[in-house]
Amino acid sequence: MRPYDFLIVGAGLFGAVFAAEAVKRGKKCLVIDRRPHIGGNCYTEDDGGITVHRYGAHIFHTSDREVWEYVNAYGEFMPYVHCPLANYRGRLYHLPFNMDTFHALWGVVTPEEAKGKVAAQRIPCEQPQNAKERALSLVGRDIYETLIEGYTEKQWGRSADKLPASLIERLPLRFTYDNNYFNDRYQGIPAGGYTPMIERMLKGAEVRLGCDFSADRCALEKLAERVLFTGAIDEYFGYCNGPLEYRSLSFDTKRLPVEDFQGTAVVNYTDRSVPYTRIIEHKHFDGNCSAPGTVITYEYPEAWSLGRERFYPVGDIPNRARYQGYLRLAEERKDVIFGGRLGLYRYLDMDDVVKEALAFARRYLD
Ligand code: FAD
């Protein structure tokens, strides 16, 4: 008989929701994380009364009532409506693309005028061969060159005509004066940040931080009947099919002795010559924050190589094929479940993570 029912590798949101559900069903869980903190990429920390999103801006948004009620059971959510801006060569534009954006670009006032302008700018293309052709066919030259091209090229480290057309699935255009970035029914940020919320989810499980599964896997595996692995699936299998590729990011966070640096939480920098993609000013995530000074983070996209933090999966055809190989290996293992963004090799928003972790709990715990 092993001391734990579950060893949960990764104290991010996926591991925490699964742990909460397992504990509710009377299971003994050990949760480990190689980082010195819980929360994974949702981790937030207090800096002099300002809640800092250490791994980039995290706004919870969902249209799924079950998910919204679930997260609210672990902490009060403060209302926050995400209205980012884009800065292109010193001029500001509202995102997502809406009447405010079109007014700033062309001086148009009515939806009819804006629709006419977009229609005249579009460059039709039956079968776009790359992201540039696809974007130009959807939104036309001005929006593409001002707000999409430089940002996308910085984000992915390649020119847009070398990026797959599939990267640009949709580019929604709103012909209303509505700057709310998300269309979802519910939106907010937990009071005090995500870390206290995840701490509550982990209550009842044993947590060991600074503990790397890969460094001590034989001993760790013997501790539990079953493993939930939310680390990278290719790392679990010793990269036997080659590494799955990602884009990485680096964050440069500074405390400044000013009350307000940019007047809003997120400003994207869409010109290619600016090396960062956005500046986050954390105190604006909490609309009433009266803490002195401010904390800002510059977000720089970076190439990824083994050993660096994995952020955005490169879901191109070779990587998807490699992932299918790992999936086949995973299906042969009855003692290990793979979950979370790294285990599933998928970009997941937080609400998807909660939804999937609850589905896993129903499948593997009931
Ligand atoms: P993670 O948070 O990555 O947790 C996995 C954990 O496993 C990590 O803590 C890691 O250290 C640990 N681990 C890995 N390998 C090992 C090992 N071998 N041993 C021990 N521990 C290990 N979503 C939204 O809904 N809204 C947003 O606004 C939003 N903004 C984002 C901004 C950025 C810049 C990024 C990159 C993502 C954003 N997301 C957002 C997505 C969100 O971060 C994810 O949905 C969420 O963090 C995924 O949780 P997870 O538990 O699957 O993975």
Side-chain angles (χ1 to χ4, degrees):
M1 180 87 173
R2 301 184 180 201
Y4 299 96
D5 296 303
F6 274 94
L7 169 69
I8 298 175
V9 180
L13 187 58
F14 196 101
V17 171
F18 190 87
E21 291 304 299
V23 167
K24 275 184 206 163
R25 289 161 171 86
K27 306 287 183 201
K28 272 196 89 183
C29 298
L30 172 63
V31 182
I32 63 166
D33 204 296
R34 57 161 56 131
R35 293 180 182 172
H37 58 73
I38 62 166
N41 283 353
C42 306
Y43 174 68
T44 52
E45 63 192 358
D46 178 73
D47 182 339
I50 297 172
T51 302
V52 173
H53 296 210
R54 195 48 79 188
Y55 300 92
H58 276 74
I59 298 106
F60 201 98
H61 57 96
T62 187
S63 292
D64 186 318
R65 185 199 282 259
E66 185 197 358
V67 167
W68 182 245
E69 286 174 355
Y70 189 86
V71 291
N72 275 270
Y74 289 96
E76 186 192 359
F77 269 65
M78 305 307 287
Y80 172 81
V81 178
H82 193 44
C83 299
L85 289 168
N87 181 321
Y88 179 75
R89 301 186 177 173
R91 292 204 59 185
L92 292 174
Y93 300 89
H94 284 279
L95 300 173
F97 312 135
N98 71 80
M99 285 303 299
D100 279 314
T101 328
F102 308 141
H103 180 69
L105 270 170
W106 302 311
V108 292
V109 172
T110 67
E112 277 320 296
E113 285 176 292
K115 283 178 192 170
K117 198 80 189 166
V118 172
Q121 291 236 336
R122 277 190 177 128
I123 302 176
C125 183
E126 289 263 306
Q127 285 186 318
Q129 297 301 304
N130 54 58
K132 179 175 181 172
E133 286 180 3
R134 176 129 177 87
L136 284 170
S137 72
L138 291 171
V139 296
R141 192 167 294 284
D142 286 351
I143 298 177
Y144 173 72
E145 286 176 356
T146 313
L147 300 169
I148 297 171
E149 186 176 40
Y151 190 87
T152 308
E153 293 187 349
K154 286 192 282 188
Q155 188 82 338
W156 292 100
R158 269 192 275 167
S159 73
D161 56 5
K162 302 275 184 308
L163 288 165
S166 58
L167 191 75
I168 310 266
E169 270 180 39
R170 295 179 311 125
L171 287 172
L173 300 175
R174 270 189 208 155
F175 294 97
T176 53
Y177 289 92
D178 176 7
N179 295 310
N180 180 355
Y181 194 75
F182 299 114
N183 282 318
D184 286 311
R185 189 149 160 215
Y186 310 105
Q187 188 172 171
I189 294 180
Y194 293 91
T195 306
M197 178 185 92
I198 289 176
E199 207 169 271
R200 287 182 209 109
M201 290 174 173
L202 290 169
K203 202 165 162 232
E206 190 182 323
V207 179
R208 282 187 209 163
L209 298 175
C211 177
D212 189 338
F213 177 80
S214 304
D216 199 11
R217 80 184 271 172
C218 288
L220 287 164
E221 268 172 337
K222 286 196 190 109
L223 292 176
E225 303 295 333
R226 220 164 180 196
V227 176
L228 168 72
F229 190 80
T230 74
I233 190 168
D234 52 340
E235 181 180 324
Y236 182 90
F237 289 111
Y239 305 106
C240 61
N241 298 330
L244 294 170
E245 292 173 304
Y246 287 80
R247 281 292 284 169
S248 196
L249 294 172
S250 71
F251 301 101
D252 181 15
T253 299
K254 297 182 192 317
R255 177 167 259 286
L256 301 177
V258 297
E259 287 314 300
D260 200 340
F261 175 77
Q262 62 184 14
T264 191
V266 176
V267 179
N268 289 1
Y269 283 77
T270 55
D271 188 1
R272 205 176 347 200
S273 67
V274 177
Y276 42 86
T277 42
R278 39 186 179 170
I279 300 179
I280 299 162
E281 187 168 15
H282 300 268
K283 73 193 307 187
H284 292 292
F285 290 124
D286 171 6
N288 300 317
C289 181
S290 55
T294 197
V295 179
I296 62 166
T297 298
Y298 294 85
E299 190 174 306
Y300 294 87
E302 292 199 340
W304 176 84
S305 56
L306 268 184
R308 295 189 67 96
E309 283 290 350
R310 301 165 164 99
F311 285 102
Y312 299 106
V314 177
D316 60 3
I317 291 166
N319 278 289
R320 283 211 301 271
R322 214 168 287 153
Y323 172 67
Q324 288 304 318
Y326 286 117
L327 198 55
R328 281 192 288 278
L329 292 174
E331 278 160 4
E332 287 165 15
R333 299 290 305 263
K334 297 291 168 241
D335 53 338
V336 189
I337 307 162
F338 293 87
R341 67 178 192 103
L342 297 166
L344 301 171
Y345 191 56
R346 262 194 357 239
Y347 178 85
L348 296 171
D349 271 332
M350 290 181 281
D351 62 329
D352 300 323
V353 166
V354 173
K355 205 183 321 184
E356 294 249 351
L358 290 175
F360 269 49
R362 285 192 277 266
R363 192 173 334 143
Y364 296 106
L365 297 169
D366 288 342

